[in-house]
């Protein structure tokens, strides 16, 4: 990642030297500090993530029944016993009524068999010896039919009991505390794999789920230390990647990463692979919270960093930048933190924010000079330097952009 950043800075410095003189005509060209600080952590270096429960409960539905009403939606928090959905009770009641009718018919059939057997036995007792065998055969046949009917009645009573229980428990409730992760109307996913109707992230211990794009395979491996960054403030956590699931990709229909101009547009519909981070501490995290993940180099990844090319020094050793204020240049004092030789950047601790605009310091930078945010046309000499840029560095990386992959 740092190698990519160094290359971006070299290209940036080269491009600045080529366009700096253009300020003589249309104002001094200024650039956004947030864009220029790309050699810290930018969207190209970060991976989107979400805090999930370490344990997941999957609720299946009966494929032979129809869901009548759904009581929850994805993102809802549920407690044990909360209603999730109910089956269509009208159909269940119809099934139960039919089974009870069949039970009554079997009970009547059994009584009829018993009456017939009793009548045949009486007739056999009063018949002559030549008719005794015929009556015995009829009685034995009737007894077999009776036994079969009794077995059918026993099975039907079991069916009735099950249907009564289903009707009494037509409402399915949550067996755990947690958050509804997904509700799937289809019984299979886009890859033909079986999936649960409702998935619940159980409350309790957390982990972070991130996603890798196809071109980012290999950026992380199991055992890699990562830093988890809040999207709303400077809070951060650390952890270790424990699983990268290349066997169950998901389809990505939006571009979550900065990609240089030369990258294929097919990334917009490429596969994404989930990975999971075991956290060193979960203090301050909440289930479902969206975060960023980055390689944990041990450095402060959340601070503002600026290329040394934009930093100038006074004779007394103090530092300043040429910043835009109300469409004019001003010489603004800044406070610098640690210098990173690998990226040739300074941490800026005071005097600048990501919303500010600064100019490359050259002879055009004077107090009160007019500024422009429109990038001047670049004049590149027709020599080896030109061919070197075109063949070795993607121009989409200029201004601190990071190419993913």
């Amino acid at each position: 990642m740092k190698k990519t950043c160094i290359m971006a800075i070299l290209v940036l410095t080269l491009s600045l030297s080529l366009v700096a003189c253009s300020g003589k005509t249309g104002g001094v060209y200024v650039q956004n500090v947030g864009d220029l600080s790309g050699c810290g952590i930018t969207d190209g270096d970060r991976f989107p993530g979400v805090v999930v429960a370490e344990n997941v409960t999957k609720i299946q539905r009966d494929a032979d029944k129809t869901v009548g009403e759904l009581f929850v939606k994805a993102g809802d928090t549920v407690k044990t016993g909360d209603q999730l959905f109910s089956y269509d009770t009208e159909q269940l009641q119809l099934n139960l009524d039919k089974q009870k009718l069949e039970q009554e018919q079997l009970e009547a059939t059994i009584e009829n068999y018993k009456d017939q057997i009793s009548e045949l036995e009486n007739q056999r007792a009063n018949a002559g010896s030549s008719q005794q065998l015929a009556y015995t055969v009829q009685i034995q046949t009737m007894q077999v039919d009776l036994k079969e009917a009794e077995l059918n009645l026993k099975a039907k009573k079991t069916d009735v009991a099950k249907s009564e229980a289903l009707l009494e428990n037509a409402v399915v409730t949550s067996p755990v505390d947690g958050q509804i992760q997904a509700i799937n109307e289809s019984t299979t996913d886009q890859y033909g794999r079986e999936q649960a109707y409702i998935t619940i992230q159980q409350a309790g211990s957390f982990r972070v789920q991130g996603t890798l794009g196809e071109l980012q395979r290999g950026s992380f491996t199991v055992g890699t230390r990562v830093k988890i960054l809040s999207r709303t403030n400077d809070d951060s956590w650390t952890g270790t990647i424990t699983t990268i699931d290349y066997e169950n990709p998901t389809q990505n229909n939006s571009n979550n990463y900065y990609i240089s101009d030369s990258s294929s547009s097919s990334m917009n519909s490429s596969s994404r692979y989930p990975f999971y981070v075991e956290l060193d501490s979960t203090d301050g995290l909440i289930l479902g919270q969206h975060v960023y993940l980055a390689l944990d180099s041990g450095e402060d990844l959340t601070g503002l960093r600026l290329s040394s090319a934009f930093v100038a020094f006074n004779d007394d050793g103090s530092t300043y930048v040429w910043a835009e204020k109300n469409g004019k240049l001003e010489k603004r004092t800044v406070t610098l933190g640690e210098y990173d030789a690998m990226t040739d950047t300074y941490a800026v601790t005071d005097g600048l924010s990501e919303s500010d605009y600064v100019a490359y310091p050259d002879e055009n930078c004077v107090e009160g000079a007019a500024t422009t945010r429109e990038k001047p046309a670049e004049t590149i000499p027709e020599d080896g330097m030109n061919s070197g840029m075109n063949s070795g560095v993607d121009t989409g990386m200029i201004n601190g952009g990071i190419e993913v992959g």
Side-chain angles (χ1 to χ4, degrees), residues 72 77-85 171-175:
V72 294
T77 299
V78 294
K79 297 290 185 181
T80 301
D82 285 354
Q83 295 182 348
L84 300 178
F85 66 95
V171 177
V172 178
T173 60
S174 175

Side-chain angles (χ1 to χ4, degrees), residues 81-93:
D82 285 354
Q83 295 182 348
L84 300 178
F85 66 95
S86 64
Y87 290 113
D88 184 353
T89 55
E90 181 178 355
Q91 184 61 46
L92 289 175
Q93 186 64 56

Side-chain angles (χ1 to χ4, degrees), residues 135-392:
Y135 277 111
T136 299
V137 172
Q138 290 183 52
I139 291 172
Q140 290 176 343
T141 301
M142 197 69 66
Q143 287 175 336
V144 171
D145 292 339
L146 173 62
K147 188 64 175 178
E148 182 180 356
E150 288 175 339
L151 290 175
N152 289 337
L153 177 60
K154 183 177 181 180
K156 187 59 63 178
K157 286 182 177 180
T158 301
D159 291 340
V160 169
K162 289 180 179 180
S163 294
E164 287 176 338
L166 285 174
L167 192 59
E168 292 175 0
N169 299 284
V171 177
V172 178
T173 60
S174 175
V176 296
D177 295 348
Q179 185 180 62
I180 304 297
Q181 181 184 29
I183 300 175
N184 304 299
E185 294 299 331
S186 175
T187 56
T188 58
D189 62 16
Q190 60 184 330
Y191 300 99
R193 299 182 299 245
E194 290 187 6
Q195 61 182 0
Y197 179 44
I198 295 178
T199 303
I200 303 175
Q201 295 178 342
Q202 292 182 219
S205 58
F206 296 152
R207 61 178 178 173
V208 175
Q209 176 183 335
T211 52
L212 290 172
E214 286 182 359
L215 297 182
Q216 297 161 324
R217 291 187 61 163
S219 298
F220 288 159
T221 58
V222 172
T224 297
R225 294 286 296 171
V226 296
K227 197 164 197 177
I228 298 91
L229 310 172
S230 170
R231 292 194 177 193
T232 58
N233 53 43
D234 290 337
D235 290 346
S236 63
W237 302 262
T238 55
T240 304
I241 294 178
T242 56
T243 305
I244 302 177
D245 192 356
Y246 288 123
E247 300 299 322
N248 296 294
T250 59
Q251 201 66 25
N252 176 27
N253 294 317
S254 62
N255 186 0
N256 291 326
Y257 309 100
Y258 175 88
I259 301 174
S260 67
D261 295 339
S262 64
S263 299
S264 170
S265 60
S266 63
M267 269 292 288
N268 291 337
S269 60
S270 62
S271 294
R272 297 163 60 190
Y273 303 94
F275 64 91
Y276 297 92
V277 178
E278 181 179 333
L279 296 161
D280 298 329
S281 170
T282 61
D283 293 343
L285 286 171
I286 59 176
L287 188 65
Q289 179 179 346
H290 290 271
V291 294
Y292 289 121
L293 298 100
L295 289 171
D296 184 9
S297 63
E299 301 171 354
D300 180 7
L301 299 177
T302 60
L304 178 65
R305 303 198 70 86
L306 188 64
S307 167
S308 64
F310 287 89
V311 179
F313 292 82
N314 292 309
D315 293 338
D316 61 1
S318 60
T319 52
Y320 67 92
V321 296
W322 288 104
E324 180 187 55
K325 182 178 181 181
N326 300 325
K328 305 289 184 180
L329 273 187
E330 70 168 3
K331 185 177 180 180
R332 184 182 303 178
T333 300
V334 293
T335 303
L336 302 181
E338 181 183 1
Y339 172 72
D340 187 341
M342 289 292 292
T343 61
D344 192 27
T345 61
Y346 285 100
V348 181
T349 60
D350 189 40
L352 276 182
S353 68
E354 290 187 355
S355 61
D356 285 326
Y357 282 74
V358 294
Y360 179 79
D362 64 8
E363 67 275 9
N364 299 306
C365 295
V366 294
E367 289 278 0
T371 60
T372 178
R373 298 183 183 181
E374 182 177 353
K375 185 176 180 179
E378 298 180 6
T379 303
I380 302 178
E382 297 181 357
D383 56 18
M385 179 171 60
N386 182 25
S387 60
M389 284 186 63
N390 292 334
S391 62

Side-chain angles (χ1 to χ4, degrees), residues 19-30 364 369-374 376:
V19 304
C21 61
S22 61
K24 296 177 181 179
T25 56
V28 178
Y29 175 49
V30 291
N364 299 306
T371 60
T372 178
R373 298 183 183 181
E374 182 177 353

